[in-house]
Amino acid sequence: MPDTTNPLRPSAELVLDALGNGVLVVGPEGVIGSANRPAEVLFGYGPGGLRDVRLEALVPDAARRDHERHRLACAADPEVRAMCRRPGIRGRRKDGTEFPVEVVLRPFHGGAVLAIVRAEPVAPARGTEPVLSRAVVRALDELVAVVDRAGVIVATSAGWDEYARVAGCPPQRCAVGANYLDACRHATGPNSVAAAEVGGGLAAVLTGTADRFAAEYPCPSGAAIRWYRAVVTPLPNEEGGAVVVHHDVTARRAAERALAESELRFRDVVEAQTELLCRALPDGTLTYVNGPYCRYFGRTPEQLLGRQFWELIPEPEREYVARHLAALTPERPVASVENRVIGIGGELRWHEWTNRAFFDDAGRVTGFQSVGRDVTDRVLAADALRASESRFRDLFQNSPLATACWRADGADFVLADCNEAARRLTAGGITRVLGRRLSELHQNQPEHRASVARCLRERSAFECEFWWAGLDWIGPAGPDGDVLVSYSFVPPDLVMSAVQFITVRKRQERALRESAERNRLILSALHEGVLLLDTAGRVLKANESAARLFDVTADRLLGTNPGGLLGAVRGADGRSVAAGQLPWELARLAGGACVGMVLVVDRDGEPVRLVVNAHALPGAGAPYPVVASLTDTTAQWRAEEQLHQHQAELAHVARCVAVGEMAAVLAHELNQPLTAVINYCRGGALRLRGGTGTTAEVADVLDLTVAQAERAAGIIRRLREFMRKRAPHRSTTDLNFTVREALALAGPELRYHQVAVTLDLGAGLPPVQVDRIQIEQVLLNLLRNATEALAGTPAGARRVEITTRCVAEGILVGVADTGAGLRPDELERVFEPFYTTKEHGTGLGLAISRSIIEAHGGRLSVRSGDGGGAVFVFTLPVVGAD
């Protein structure tokens, strides 16, 4: 058996090992299935050594036949009996030695036998009792002490002496000649209650007031506590005295404690179950109910125990349950039953009970154990399923469609059933073909046979149309006709086919298709795009011209809202047109007509000009269906725009000659401070000549003169510095300062074109190592490009925003405008040399700017702005960055 010191062993094994007797479980074939530790020690085997050993190995050869007869008789007649109690019966140890034994047999589960074995004591020869007794006592490993009438120790066992040595008990207190009570007090402590109890029991036995005394007490053993059982029995002689045996019961108490904990855990597991558990006497009186049982019926254990469970079963079902319980037998003790119970508030609920009956040796019922679970939902679902099947049968029989059921039969199908409509389908009646095979009945309909097989294979429903011929049809179709067959799978192996005649419908569909084709051809011949919209504004029909205008296929256009395909829509005045103001929407919601509305949309970055006419069709009321026509007038509009452009170019040439491009703007910018300088100087001179001005007033005039002169000098300095031919030179530069310098150069032109500039410069930016003039050239080019991009934007909406901030790559500079922006293809090519979006541009400005930025270790890119326009962004590494 497993190691007895293992604290994780099952409680049953701990209890068996704590017994004084050997216990063997012997199978029907005479093989030992298990044995406790005392049995292994008794027969000289190690832990687990007796498992799978034949019982004959423990019996001497001379006694085997007699022993086998007793074992077989016990298995045939299951009752507890003693065997081998007469003198001379012996057992055999593993080493071959024999010893007297006493055996008690008890029937066990499955035809096994439980054998309880103990060694039979040997009576000593007359005259040798004292010597043998002392020798026997000395040979014992148990803690044994023999005391005289006065309580003085007269003999001790080897186990007693070993314990005294380990416990450190001095010989004068524990050895022969010492007082037993002194030994007890030394072992348990001077003030131990246990020592006093054992002492009192010993005194009672020695004085004859008690025939026997036994008590269990704790005893310190190092840091641990061990438990012992002291048994005091009187000596059967004239001198008196007693034998005190101390059994170490620590393991047994641990086993009992583990068993109690196991029972507690078992009870917790039972109480934690969701199933209802109860036990009852044969008359139905409840003896145990678990927590779920009480909660389900809304009662406490005290209200249920002692009462019969019949009270919880409706009266009409009690006889049925009683018959079920009466049918349980020892051969068939377990069975299940479904019945209703009376729940909380009198509600009747369905339960499934698994009932087990317990029987005594005479086969009489001693009680029941039942486990129940609520199956109301399942029962109701089953009832609903039966009702559904009944309704299905009614629908099947009363359906106007000719419906047949085909049952799978190998690779073929058999006609299993059909409804009344199917029976009326042929002149001779379809009932004459019930039971015949599909391959026989429909030899000329391979599509039908293949569809039935497909339905079974895919277990899915679908429909097929056939031109059916070959049966003697009656009704509107005549002998041949078009049919629509609906197939559906019915588990586990049925396929239903429902047939309806569609000859008339097919004829109407063909006529409708021909009419639709004629209308399509007429619409396709029109140059204008034509749309037919339903009351929800979705496209019902569209010709090819309309599909081309929306840049989609005609099929893609159907079912969509046309406004969603146009994108951003503008009117002739350039203002946005909301979706609800589109002409077909106005006609759909208000009725009437909306004629001649001009819409401008973008296609591949180019504007497309459409003239739309929408008319509401007659209907029950708003919203109305609408027919709309769209005419593309882009070519005519572009011709007009080109004429206007030529006129604008002539005016532009005249302005360029008059103003002199940027030089004229700078001259105008310089004229203001120079005029102010002249005026301030003349005023100061007049005051000095006339003697009317004080020194302070003249000084103020001179300060104003200096300020205006410095303003003019700054413009000239920036222009000269910017235009000066010089070798590239990089230095540590504040990028925000460079931005302001470039803005000062471009300022006159920006103000001239009424462009508002917004600065969003990051604070505390680290310096950059750049050629400041080259970076100003990049910024000036971006600002002039932005100014030109804003030429078509209303004056109040012309805005440029310059931003600087720190990013992972270094310092980022952005120039964003609110102009028309760039098309996707222009975004990809804008930095290519000689590529320009301007009529008279060279295409080199942005290419040079990118080379300058990349030479500084940065990157220049462009994207479309979130609100329109273009955003040019470049980055420069900061000083010290890798």
Side-chain angles (χ1 to χ4, degrees), residues 475-490:
D480 301 313
D482 291 294
V483 294
L484 173 66
V485 186
S486 301
Y487 299 93
S488 58
F489 172 73
V490 180

Side-chain angles (χ1 to χ4, degrees), residues 103-120:
V103 181
V104 176
L105 300 180
R106 181 185 298 274
F108 205 56
H109 299 294
V113 174
L114 187 71
I116 303 173
V117 185
R118 62 175 178 268
E120 188 175 77

Side-chain angles (χ1 to χ4, degrees), residues 755-769:
V755 177
V757 179
T758 303
L759 292 179
D760 182 13
L761 306 181
L765 297 180
V768 293
Q769 191 79 14

Side-chain angles (χ1 to χ4, degrees), residues 643-657 840:
L643 177 60
H644 296 156
Q645 184 177 355
H646 290 314
Q647 295 172 349
E649 287 176 354
L650 292 176
H652 177 259
V653 170
R655 286 196 303 272
C656 288
V657 172
H840 304 290

Side-chain angles (χ1 to χ4, degrees), residues 641-688:
E641 287 294 317
Q642 288 177 358
L643 177 60
H644 296 156
Q645 184 177 355
H646 290 314
Q647 295 172 349
E649 287 176 354
L650 292 176
H652 177 259
V653 170
R655 286 196 303 272
C656 288
V657 172
V659 177
E661 297 242 350
M662 188 175 178
V665 175
L666 290 173
H668 174 74
E669 189 75 9
L670 284 170
N671 186 53
Q672 293 179 354
L674 292 176
T675 301
V677 168
I678 293 171
N679 291 333
Y680 286 142
C681 290
R682 287 176 178 173
L686 289 174
R687 290 195 178 198
L688 289 176

Side-chain angles (χ1 to χ4, degrees), residues 146-154 177-183 202-203 206 241-242:
V146 181
V147 299
D148 59 14
R149 189 183 301 274
V152 176
I153 300 173
V154 297
N179 187 284
Y180 174 78
L181 295 181
D182 290 342
L202 177 62
L206 291 178

Side-chain angles (χ1 to χ4, degrees), residues 528-531 549 583-584 597 611-615 627-631:
E528 293 81 2
V530 179
L531 299 175
L549 290 176
W584 49 82
M597 180 177 285
V611 177
V612 183
N613 299 310
H615 297 268
V627 61
S629 65
L630 300 90
T631 304

